[in-house]
Amino acid sequence: MVNTRAVVGFTPALGLDYYVGWDHQAEILLNQGRLRWEFAPTTGFLQFDYAWQKDEIAPGYEKKPFEPLARGRDDLDTHTVRVMLENILTPSLRSQMMGLVMDTTGR
């Protein structure tokens, strides 16, 4: 397994994290990035995440009428985007709104 991570702080309130990982045994590649903005010091955050993952799979085969056997994909790509808004209201209460979109290629 090979992993690497980079962290960049543009300002004390704005930062970027980036992660890349490769698992040789499972043949999985993962790229993930996060941009986080602290718009209200220690109490309000806006975060944007993006991840891309590639999985090697056993291909399937498809047989259509009057056509030869067709081999399917041998890898799947998954893209994920998340936007999150978080506010700390009191020491024991916080609010969080999140939107998530995920897309995986078909076989």
Side-chain angles (χ1 to χ4, degrees):
M1 180 174 272
V2 178
N3 296 314
T4 184
R5 181 175 180 210
V7 178
V8 179
F10 299 109
T11 68
L14 181 63
L16 175 68
D17 294 332
Y18 186 72
Y19 170 82
V20 177
W22 167 253
D23 184 346
H24 179 68
Q25 291 179 337
E27 296 186 1
I28 296 174
L29 176 66
L30 173 66
N31 288 299
Q32 184 175 5
R34 176 180 85 168
L35 183 66
R36 186 175 174 106
W37 175 44
E38 186 177 336
F39 61 84
T42 69
T43 60
F45 305 94
L46 178 63
Q47 182 171 312
F48 173 80
D49 296 310
Y50 172 77
W52 170 72
Q53 181 172 339
K54 181 175 183 171
D55 295 318
E56 299 287 330
I57 60 170
Y61 290 87
E62 189 174 328
K63 175 70 174 125
K64 294 182 180 177
F66 309 108
E67 292 184 19
L69 194 62
R71 182 182 169 124
R73 300 177 60 103
D74 55 358
D75 60 8
L76 294 176
D77 293 321
T78 302
H79 298 272
T80 305
V81 175
R82 180 176 72 169
V83 177
M84 184 170 56
L85 177 65
E86 181 177 338
N87 290 297
I88 311 298
L89 305 173
T90 69
S92 59
L93 183 64
R94 74 176 185 172
S95 68
Q96 186 179 59
M97 292 188 297
M98 180 172 56
L100 176 73
V101 176
M102 184 181 292
D103 179 49
T104 301
T105 55
R107 286 186 167 234

